[in-house]
Amino acid sequence: MASKPEIGFCGLGAMGFGMATHLVTQGYTVTGFDVWAPSLDKFKAAGGIPSTSLSESAKDKQFYICMVATAQQATSAIFSDDGILKGLPKGATLVLCSTVPSAYAKTVERDLKFVGREDVFFIDAPVSGGAIRAADGTLSIMAGASPAAIEKGKWLLEELSAPEKLFIVEGGIGAGSNMKMVHQVLAAIQILSLSEAFGFAAALGLNGKDAREAVIASEGWSWMFENRSVRTLAEDYFPGASAVTIILKDTGIITQTSRQHLFPTHLVNTAEQVYLQALTRDYGSNDDAGLVRLWTSTPVSSIDASSLSASDKESKLALVISLLKAIHLVAAVESISFAKHVGLPLQQLYILAKDAAGGSKMFEKYAPELIALLEGGSGEGEPVKLASFTEELSKAVDKAQEVKCPLYLGGTTLSLLLAAKGAEDGAGLKELLSVYVGR
Amino acid sequence: MASKPEIGFCGLGAMGFGMATHLVTQGYTVTGFDVWAPSLDKFKAAGGIPSTSLSESAKDKQFYICMVATAQQATSAIFSDDGILKGLPKGATLVLCSTVPSAYAKTVERDLKFVGREDVFFIDAPVSGGAIRAADGTLSIMAGASPAAIEKGKWLLEELSAPEKLFIVEGGIGAGSNMKMVHQVLAAIQILSLSEAFGFAAALGLNGKDAREAVIASEGWSWMFENRSVRTLAEDYFPGASAVTIILKDTGIITQTSRQHLFPTHLVNTAEQVYLQALTRDYGSNDDAGLVRLWTSTPVSSIDASSLSASDKESKLALVISLLKAIHLVAAVESISFAKHVGLPLQQLYILAKDAAGGSKMFEKYAPELIALLEGGSGEGEPVKLASFTEELSKAVDKAQEVKCPLYLGGTTLSLLLAAKGAEDGAGLKELLSVYVGR
């Protein structure tokens, strides 16, 4: 481009502030709006132009980014009397980066027409990656829109994302939000599975540090486990990097959308009930790595495991790993089959999720086969023996019952494996998929 | 019988004491053993003969009843060096009334042979009905054994049970325990569903008394709801009539057996995790009617609902009822399909459970159709419209999400209905059964 265009921005929270100031450091003139005055002061200090009016922040801006927290806030920001549309010039590009239901993004598209602003190039582009990557301009972005809107706004999405982390999702408005949603299926399950694993380890008398080391080196690995467990061991929950209410907002989008699509998201549903349980314990604003407190009030890094023999310790760690492996396998099935159900390109989900916050060893290993099966192929690679997953998880659940440890995800996972007749010889991913998509 | 035979008895807990003293009042000479001395004193005061030795309590007794708490205790009582078998004369009848896994009852049968006591007529006869009915001799009894053992011991089972409440279950040793187990599938789900319903009602701002009245008059009724809700409203949890640890023992039998049979018991699994959660909150020894405290610390009978309009109240109560109806429908499917899987006579389960602690309006209404479907018939009566259950439960789950109320059973139930494609036109019980037994 000849000269750098001016950009309007609203929502200067942890993520939005990073994104907006990154654009400033890249030499853009960015006018930022937020309802919280201190954020505006901070933004000014970082070189941005603060604005106390949404319409003013959008005035003469050919590009505008909306990064508010919720769909309700987005509606108010865009459509209110003194909102973004009031200031936004004809033919401008409006990028909604908030995580919202796909159906909501479609509503915005419809309402833009309804209020006579079909001139606006609207892009549905939720992001992932956390505040640090937001500030570095290395986010993952999942964007859906008309080809014309993508053409207009792609350079801006590129400024905010890492190379190879910008995913233009086919399917128009809503496809970006759907892609984020099916990624969050993995995230929502794996945020809880790590606390469940630490809770189980504690009930078995294992020290959290040993559990972390063993899981990270195993097929039970997930990105969330490696990331969150640092805070779990340090009891760094206050306020922490990612509050329980944030993942709860995402599970709300997932389970609401799954109800609308009449598709069962068994494990996310289970996780959501436990997240709601955490609210009743007043853990909502704490970091989600602190959910282990639903299992034990003892700091997991302080558990004395010195009386365990080496072989006893090893067999107990194996149970914890078996638990995670089985949960993450079914999480992959839940995410990918839901993606298929809402019409997303599965190969793109695979590329996106395997290196993102939803990644796990199980996803990376089995997603290709799952995708092949869902796309009508016969599958490829070594057949998965569900029987071994079922048998190993069954041992873990047996043991948990003995030591009186609730395994919310583990129990649901075993029920699903059994429903898939997963213990039978020859049962594989096809049988497991059938629990979600029918036979 | 010419003269009343002497009876030996061990396990003078709440149930056992009632049973043993009932036999005393019927004119039998009963020698009772317990490890807890005060129980022996009480038994003596009630006209029994106390014994501090198991072998002594069994000496010369042609009939012996074992009513200890667990399988481990039973093994010790029967087989230890100074145990029941040491005293029990040749050809005696030994009745095990404890609730144990079916596989355990079969182990006892095998071990009796192994130790050379195939002369003993062994009966597997778990009971149900609570301490009051135990003392009245009006228990429900589910008995399995060889025809010869049943012939020997039937009179004694009749003394302890109400007319028409003695169920001789075909299938030999283990069949009685299996029948008790599938009945407890209903009990275990419905004990939790009442607390979940009260928790949901509280989150909706309803008073517990209104909720109770509405549910009892509705299709959401269950025996457990009517029975336990008296204590829920009165906060009568300490120690209460039935501790959480008691139902947790039963869920342990159910889920262990279901794992061995590779059969999914989705809702019992969900309930079990919540019962284990209750242990972490130190509610284990409290009455299970106090599980509502997992949802709210406010006494549910003290909630001020006066600001709700009549129509608002009615629509909120309807949500609570929808929740219970759907859970109890799937509970019926889970119990009956598990019964089929372990080879029990389904019609007998129906007769037994509909008027027992596992009873519910949904079970009574839909069990006949479910049984017909499982027995290869085409079903009978009005077709069930799963779509209406799915739609109504979906509304309740939506609302629960809005008010941040965990619905463990409700969420799992909805996932199962969706997995059965229960929202589709024409979906019925056959489709719902398929989630458990395959298509």
Side-chain angles (χ1 to χ4, degrees):
Chain A
M1 296 201 175
S3 72
K4 294 206 166 187
E6 286 185 39
I7 300 168
F9 201 107
C10 79
L12 299 169
M15 295 288 289
F17 187 84
M19 292 161 71
T21 51
H22 169 72
L23 292 171
V24 170
T25 63
Q26 297 305 103
Y28 294 94
T29 305
V30 184
T31 304
F33 171 87
D34 200 280
V35 290
W36 206 49
S39 290
L40 289 180
D41 296 343
K42 223 173 105 194
F43 187 56
K44 189 179 175 187
I49 301 170
S51 172
T52 55
S53 152
L54 276 163
S55 62
E56 279 298 317
S57 75
K59 201 176 170 199
D60 301 331
K61 307 297 184 305
Q62 283 295 328
F63 296 91
Y64 199 97
I65 295 172
C66 181
M67 188 53 187
V68 295
T70 65
Q72 287 86 336
Q73 289 176 16
T75 293
S76 170
I78 298 168
F79 294 102
S80 65
D81 285 350
D82 189 37
I84 294 165
L85 285 186
K86 182 84 178 288
L88 210 63
K90 200 163 155 58
T93 301
L94 173 63
V95 186
L96 179 62
C97 290
S98 310
T99 297
V100 296
S102 168
Y104 172 75
K106 287 183 179 164
T107 304
V108 173
E109 183 180 41
R110 194 196 60 202
D111 289 353
L112 284 169
K113 285 190 185 127
F114 187 73
V115 300
R117 290 302 304 262
E118 51 270 81
D119 62 286
V120 172
F121 292 92
F122 178 54
I123 302 176
D124 160 41
V127 306
S128 176
I132 292 169
R133 284 176 52 195
D136 286 346
T138 58
L139 288 168
S140 297
I141 303 185
M142 293 137 271
S146 67
I150 293 290
E151 200 186 320
K152 286 278 250 176
K154 195 174 179 189
W155 67 270
L156 181 51
L157 301 173
E158 283 168 346
E159 285 287 10
L160 297 166
S161 61
E164 299 179 12
K165 297 278 184 184
L166 172 59
F167 297 90
I168 308 294
V169 188
E170 278 186 34
I173 291 293
S177 287
N178 268 340
M179 188 60 93
K180 171 96 194 241
M181 175 182 74
V182 300
H183 175 269
Q184 293 307 93
V185 166
L186 299 165
I189 295 165
Q190 287 158 199
I191 282 174
L192 185 62
S193 73
L194 80 98
S195 280
E196 186 161 304
F198 276 113
F200 184 37
L204 295 172
L206 294 165
N207 184 286
K209 289 176 211 159
D210 294 335
R212 180 172 198 268
E213 194 178 319
V215 168
I216 286 180
S218 79
E219 289 209 306
W221 177 90
S222 69
W223 186 94
M224 285 294 178
F225 186 95
E226 182 160 1
N227 176 272
R228 299 307 209 256
S229 55
V230 177
R231 300 202 286 276
T232 305
L233 292 182
E235 294 167 79
D236 174 16
Y237 313 143
F238 316 103
S242 193
V244 172
T245 48
I246 293 176
I247 193 64
L248 190 54
K249 185 189 154 237
D250 290 354
T251 64
I253 290 170
I254 295 163
T255 58
Q256 272 172 26
T257 306
S258 82
R259 285 196 291 278
Q260 283 154 10
H261 281 269
L262 307 173
F263 186 88
T265 44
H266 298 276
L267 286 179
V268 175
N269 163 67
T270 295
E272 183 169 42
Q273 308 315 319
V274 181
Y275 294 140
L276 289 168
Q277 180 197 145
L279 296 194
T280 69
R281 300 280 289 271
D282 289 330
Y283 298 158
S285 62
N286 302 165
D287 196 87
D288 57 42
L291 288 165
V292 69
R293 290 171 295 163
L294 295 173
W295 279 264
T296 176
S297 54
T298 308
V300 297
S301 62
S302 75
I303 294 169
D304 180 6
S306 59
S307 66
L308 294 179
S309 71
S311 71
D312 200 14
K313 193 168 133 181
E314 196 180 347
S315 67
K316 287 178 170 184
L317 287 168
L319 291 175
V320 175
I321 290 165
S322 297
L323 171 70
L324 287 170
K325 278 177 64 182
I327 293 169
H328 298 171
L329 174 68
V330 179
V333 172
E334 187 159 310
S335 168
I336 295 170
S337 58
F338 193 24
K340 170 78 176 172
H341 190 83
V342 298
L344 289 170
L346 303 185
Q347 196 58 37
Q348 195 177 33
L349 167 61
Y350 174 63
I351 294 165
L352 185 163
K354 76 182 171 57
D355 297 323
S360 73
K361 285 278 182 221
M362 291 292 105
F363 183 88
E364 187 167 359
K365 190 167 177 180
Y366 295 116
E369 171 95 4
L370 287 164
I371 292 169
L373 286 166
L374 283 168
E375 290 184 337
S378 61
E380 47 196 33
E382 209 186 329
V384 179
K385 291 210 174 84
L386 274 200
S388 74
F389 282 92
T390 309
E391 194 185 323
E392 286 181 26
L393 177 59
S394 197
K395 280 183 203 158
V397 171
D398 259 336
K399 188 68 184 180
Q401 203 165 35
E402 186 190 319
V403 297
K404 311 288 186 204
C405 174
L407 294 184
Y408 303 96
L409 291 169
T412 301
T413 298
L414 183 57
S415 291
L416 294 170
L417 286 167
L418 293 175
K421 306 205 184 298
E424 290 181 6
D425 276 350
L429 294 179
K430 195 176 165 188
E431 286 69 27
L432 189 50
L433 275 169
S434 75
V435 174
Y436 285 89
V437 301
R439 280 177 184 87
Chain B
M1 297 205 172
S3 73
K4 295 207 166 188
E6 286 187 37
I7 299 168
F9 202 106
C10 78
L12 299 169
M15 294 290 289
F17 187 84
M19 292 161 72
T21 51
H22 168 72
L23 292 169
V24 170
T25 63
Q26 296 306 104
Y28 294 95
T29 304
V30 183
T31 304
F33 170 88
D34 200 279
V35 289
W36 206 49
S39 289
L40 289 181
D41 295 344
K42 225 174 103 195
F43 186 58
K44 188 178 177 185
I49 300 170
S51 171
T52 56
S53 152
L54 276 163
S55 62
E56 279 298 315
S57 74
K59 199 176 174 198
D60 300 331
K61 307 298 184 306
Q62 282 296 325
F63 296 92
Y64 199 96
I65 296 173
C66 180
M67 187 52 185
V68 293
T70 66
Q72 286 85 336
Q73 287 177 16
T75 293
S76 169
I78 298 168
F79 295 101
S80 66
D81 286 351
D82 189 39
I84 294 165
L85 284 185
K86 181 86 176 287
L88 210 64
K90 202 165 155 53
T93 301
L94 172 64
V95 185
L96 178 61
C97 290
S98 310
T99 295
V100 295
S102 167
Y104 172 75
K106 286 182 179 166
T107 303
V108 174
E109 184 181 41
R110 192 198 61 199
D111 288 353
L112 284 169
K113 285 191 184 128
F114 186 73
V115 300
R117 290 301 304 263
E118 54 268 83
D119 63 284
V120 172
F121 292 92
F122 178 54
I123 302 177
D124 161 40
V127 307
S128 176
I132 293 168
R133 284 174 53 195
D136 285 348
T138 59
L139 288 168
S140 297
I141 302 184
M142 292 138 273
S146 67
I150 294 291
E151 199 186 322
K152 285 279 248 176
K154 197 173 177 189
W155 68 270
L156 180 52
L157 302 173
E158 281 168 347
E159 285 286 10
L160 297 166
S161 60
E164 301 180 10
K165 297 276 186 187
L166 172 58
F167 297 90
I168 307 295
V169 187
E170 280 187 32
I173 290 295
S177 286
N178 268 339
M179 187 61 94
K180 170 97 196 239
M181 175 182 72
V182 299
H183 174 270
Q184 292 308 93
V185 166
L186 299 165
I189 296 166
Q190 287 157 199
I191 281 174
L192 185 61
S193 73
L194 79 99
S195 280
E196 186 161 304
F198 277 113
F200 184 35
L204 295 173
L206 294 166
N207 184 287
K209 289 176 208 155
D210 294 334
R212 181 174 198 268
E213 195 178 316
V215 168
I216 285 178
S218 80
E219 290 208 306
W221 178 90
S222 70
W223 186 94
M224 284 294 177
F225 186 96
E226 183 160 1
N227 175 272
R228 300 304 209 261
S229 56
V230 176
R231 300 202 284 276
T232 305
L233 294 181
E235 296 166 78
D236 175 16
Y237 313 143
F238 316 101
S242 193
V244 172
T245 48
I246 293 174
I247 193 63
L248 190 56
K249 183 187 158 238
D250 289 355
T251 64
I253 291 170
I254 294 163
T255 58
Q256 271 171 27
T257 307
S258 80
R259 284 197 290 277
Q260 284 154 10
H261 281 270
L262 307 174
F263 186 88
T265 45
H266 298 277
L267 286 179
V268 174
N269 164 68
T270 296
E272 183 168 44
Q273 308 315 319
V274 182
Y275 294 140
L276 289 169
Q277 181 196 145
L279 295 195
T280 69
R281 301 280 290 270
D282 288 330
Y283 298 158
S285 61
N286 300 166
D287 195 89
D288 58 42
L291 288 166
V292 69
R293 289 171 296 163
L294 295 174
W295 279 264
T296 177
S297 54
T298 309
V300 297
S301 61
S302 75
I303 294 168
D304 180 5
S306 59
S307 65
L308 293 180
S309 72
S311 71
D312 199 15
K313 191 168 137 182
E314 197 180 342
S315 67
K316 287 178 169 182
L317 288 168
L319 290 175
V320 176
I321 291 165
S322 296
L323 171 71
L324 287 170
K325 277 176 65 181
I327 294 169
H328 298 169
L329 174 67
V330 179
V333 172
E334 186 158 312
S335 167
I336 295 169
S337 58
F338 193 23
K340 170 78 178 173
H341 190 84
V342 297
L344 289 170
L346 303 185
Q347 196 58 39
Q348 194 178 36
L349 167 62
Y350 174 63
I351 294 165
L352 184 163
K354 76 181 170 58
D355 298 321
S360 74
K361 285 279 182 220
M362 291 293 104
F363 183 87
E364 187 165 0
K365 191 167 176 179
Y366 296 117
E369 171 93 3
L370 287 165
I371 291 168
L373 285 166
L374 283 169
E375 291 184 338
S378 61
E380 47 196 32
E382 209 185 329
V384 179
K385 290 207 174 86
L386 274 201
S388 74
F389 282 92
T390 308
E391 194 184 322
E392 286 181 28
L393 177 59
S394 198
K395 280 183 203 158
V397 171
D398 259 336
K399 187 70 183 175
Q401 204 164 35
E402 187 190 318
V403 298
K404 311 288 184 205
C405 173
L407 295 183
Y408 303 96
L409 292 170
T412 300
T413 298
L414 183 56
S415 291
L416 294 170
L417 284 168
L418 293 175
K421 306 206 184 296
E424 289 181 7
D425 277 353
L429 294 179
K430 193 175 166 192
E431 285 70 28
L432 190 49
L433 274 169
S434 75
V435 174
Y436 285 89
V437 300
R439 280 179 181 85

